[in-house]
Amino acid sequence: MKLELTKTCYKFFSMMANPTRIAVLENLRRSPMSVKQLAEALQQEQSMVSHNLSPLVRCRFINVERKGKKRIYSLNSETIEALFSIVENHSRKYCPTMGHCIGRRGR
Amino acid sequence: MKLELTKTCYKFFSMMANPTRIAVLENLRRSPMSVKQLAEALQQEQSMVSHNLSPLVRCRFINVERKGKKRIYSLNSETIEALFSIVENHSRKYCPTMGHCIGRRGR
DNA sequence: TTTTCATATGAATGATATTTCATATGTTTT
DNA sequence: AAAACATATGAAATATCATTCATATGAAAA
């Protein structure tokens, strides 16, 4: 029961611990987008974007919906917005001095 | 300004994306502990626990305090409890079916 | 029904992070 | 000041994850 939570958290945070996936989530905050739109916005290959989208869907961090030949991805705001706001709060409150913390170019 | 947030989130979540560090945080929820106590609780080598404690301190996810030859580590509850509760909420609400999501033994 | 467009997927390569072991530092006790 | 204890740290070995490229699938347009 305790190990379960550790495992769950580990999967959860591993999913978030990737710059491409984070950038995807940030873009989807604004509005739902197709794979192509995301690839353009992130300046990344379509293949790479797709590779990162599927695990995000599996974890229900985002949702998909077919629209013709496109697939439109949208955010699970409840979880993701809450996460972002914790990060912002932490970095504002606990990492005010650059270079020694999460905030900016540390370690 | 946008790239900054991505970077910040990436560091933040990478810090959380490790089973040893998560287990440390979960143990510190109960009460502050020394390195040795943590090593015993996690059944891990002292060296490994130490290696994981320092980045957690740097990021201010935990705090240290000297007490004789020991060092007592304690949780930054504001940030960490909030995080855990998001994970619990997400896994309860969005991953009810085992095996396909974050919740349990999926991928 | 062939071509085109949007997206997905497998497998190899390359990059990063974790683990372990040996040893160093620093504090207290004798 | 030597011994003992608690913790930290460096570097090598290993494991894990991301990226890329080639190709597959599937829907719509011609």
mmCIF file of all heavy atoms in Angstrom, chain B residues 85 87-96:
data_model
loop_
_atom_site.group_PDB
_atom_site.id
_atom_site.type_symbol
_atom_site.label_atom_id
_atom_site.label_comp_id
_atom_site.label_asym_id
_atom_site.label_seq_id
_atom_site.Cartn_x
_atom_site.Cartn_y
_atom_site.Cartn_z
ATOM 1 N N SER B 85 -1.002 15.349 -3.094
ATOM 2 C CA SER B 85 -2.461 15.292 -3.156
ATOM 3 C C SER B 85 -2.975 15.416 -4.592
ATOM 4 O O SER B 85 -4.006 14.846 -4.943
ATOM 5 C CB SER B 85 -3.102 16.299 -2.192
ATOM 6 O OG SER B 85 -3.305 17.514 -2.825
ATOM 7 N N VAL B 87 -1.361 14.062 -7.134
ATOM 8 C CA VAL B 87 -1.148 12.717 -7.668
ATOM 9 C C VAL B 87 -2.269 11.785 -7.214
ATOM 10 O O VAL B 87 -2.838 11.047 -8.022
ATOM 11 C CB VAL B 87 0.215 12.137 -7.232
ATOM 12 C CG1 VAL B 87 0.360 10.694 -7.708
ATOM 13 C CG2 VAL B 87 1.350 12.981 -7.768
ATOM 14 N N GLU B 88 -2.587 11.840 -5.932
ATOM 15 C CA GLU B 88 -3.656 10.976 -5.426
ATOM 16 C C GLU B 88 -4.986 11.270 -6.114
ATOM 17 O O GLU B 88 -5.691 10.355 -6.535
ATOM 18 C CB GLU B 88 -3.808 11.137 -3.907
ATOM 19 C CG GLU B 88 -2.840 10.248 -3.139
ATOM 20 C CD GLU B 88 -2.889 10.504 -1.636
ATOM 21 O OE1 GLU B 88 -3.982 10.800 -1.111
ATOM 22 O OE2 GLU B 88 -1.823 10.428 -0.987
ATOM 23 N N ASN B 89 -5.289 12.531 -6.226
ATOM 24 C CA ASN B 89 -6.540 12.917 -6.879
ATOM 25 C C ASN B 89 -6.583 12.434 -8.332
ATOM 26 O O ASN B 89 -7.558 11.842 -8.767
ATOM 27 C CB ASN B 89 -6.711 14.436 -6.837
ATOM 28 C CG ASN B 89 -8.022 14.870 -7.465
ATOM 29 O OD1 ASN B 89 -9.091 14.626 -6.926
ATOM 30 N ND2 ASN B 89 -7.939 15.501 -8.641
ATOM 31 N N HIS B 90 -5.486 12.678 -9.043
ATOM 32 C CA HIS B 90 -5.456 12.271 -10.454
ATOM 33 C C HIS B 90 -5.619 10.761 -10.591
ATOM 34 O O HIS B 90 -6.406 10.297 -11.419
ATOM 35 C CB HIS B 90 -4.153 12.714 -11.122
ATOM 36 C CG HIS B 90 -4.070 12.321 -12.564
ATOM 37 N ND1 HIS B 90 -4.548 13.128 -13.580
ATOM 38 C CD2 HIS B 90 -3.607 11.201 -13.177
ATOM 39 C CE1 HIS B 90 -4.368 12.524 -14.735
ATOM 40 N NE2 HIS B 90 -3.798 11.356 -14.526
ATOM 41 N N SER B 91 -4.895 10.023 -9.772
ATOM 42 C CA SER B 91 -4.924 8.573 -9.968
ATOM 43 C C SER B 91 -6.288 7.997 -9.548
ATOM 44 O O SER B 91 -6.764 7.039 -10.144
ATOM 45 C CB SER B 91 -3.746 7.908 -9.264
ATOM 46 O OG SER B 91 -4.107 7.401 -8.017
ATOM 47 N N ARG B 92 -6.907 8.597 -8.566
ATOM 48 C CA ARG B 92 -8.236 8.137 -8.164
ATOM 49 C C ARG B 92 -9.274 8.468 -9.229
ATOM 50 O O ARG B 92 -10.093 7.640 -9.610
ATOM 51 C CB ARG B 92 -8.615 8.800 -6.828
ATOM 52 C CG ARG B 92 -9.965 8.365 -6.284
ATOM 53 C CD ARG B 92 -10.167 8.771 -4.821
ATOM 54 N NE ARG B 92 -9.282 9.842 -4.360
ATOM 55 C CZ ARG B 92 -9.460 11.149 -4.579
ATOM 56 N NH1 ARG B 92 -10.501 11.572 -5.279
ATOM 57 N NH2 ARG B 92 -8.609 12.045 -4.111
ATOM 58 N N LYS B 93 -9.186 9.674 -9.744
ATOM 59 C CA LYS B 93 -10.233 10.180 -10.626
ATOM 60 C C LYS B 93 -10.062 9.763 -12.079
ATOM 61 O O LYS B 93 -11.031 9.493 -12.772
ATOM 62 C CB LYS B 93 -10.221 11.709 -10.544
ATOM 63 C CG LYS B 93 -11.529 12.354 -10.868
ATOM 64 C CD LYS B 93 -11.621 13.681 -10.140
ATOM 65 C CE LYS B 93 -12.750 14.565 -10.579
ATOM 66 N NZ LYS B 93 -12.702 15.860 -9.831
ATOM 67 N N TYR B 94 -8.820 9.728 -12.543
ATOM 68 C CA TYR B 94 -8.604 9.528 -13.971
ATOM 69 C C TYR B 94 -8.008 8.176 -14.328
ATOM 70 O O TYR B 94 -7.914 7.840 -15.502
ATOM 71 C CB TYR B 94 -7.733 10.648 -14.539
ATOM 72 C CG TYR B 94 -8.395 11.986 -14.459
ATOM 73 C CD1 TYR B 94 -8.052 12.904 -13.473
ATOM 74 C CD2 TYR B 94 -9.400 12.335 -15.367
ATOM 75 C CE1 TYR B 94 -8.677 14.140 -13.397
ATOM 76 C CE2 TYR B 94 -10.028 13.556 -15.299
ATOM 77 C CZ TYR B 94 -9.669 14.456 -14.307
ATOM 78 O OH TYR B 94 -10.294 15.672 -14.235
ATOM 79 N N CYS B 95 -7.563 7.428 -13.339
ATOM 80 C CA CYS B 95 -6.960 6.140 -13.652
ATOM 81 C C CYS B 95 -7.593 5.041 -12.826
ATOM 82 O O CYS B 95 -6.914 4.329 -12.096
ATOM 83 C CB CYS B 95 -5.470 6.189 -13.385
ATOM 84 S SG CYS B 95 -4.669 7.573 -14.175
ATOM 85 N N PRO B 96 -8.919 4.881 -12.965
ATOM 86 C CA PRO B 96 -9.606 3.887 -12.151
ATOM 87 C C PRO B 96 -9.366 2.465 -12.646
ATOM 88 O O PRO B 96 -9.314 1.536 -11.855
ATOM 89 C CB PRO B 96 -11.082 4.260 -12.307
ATOM 90 C CG PRO B 96 -11.164 5.016 -13.585
ATOM 91 C CD PRO B 96 -9.811 5.531 -13.929
#
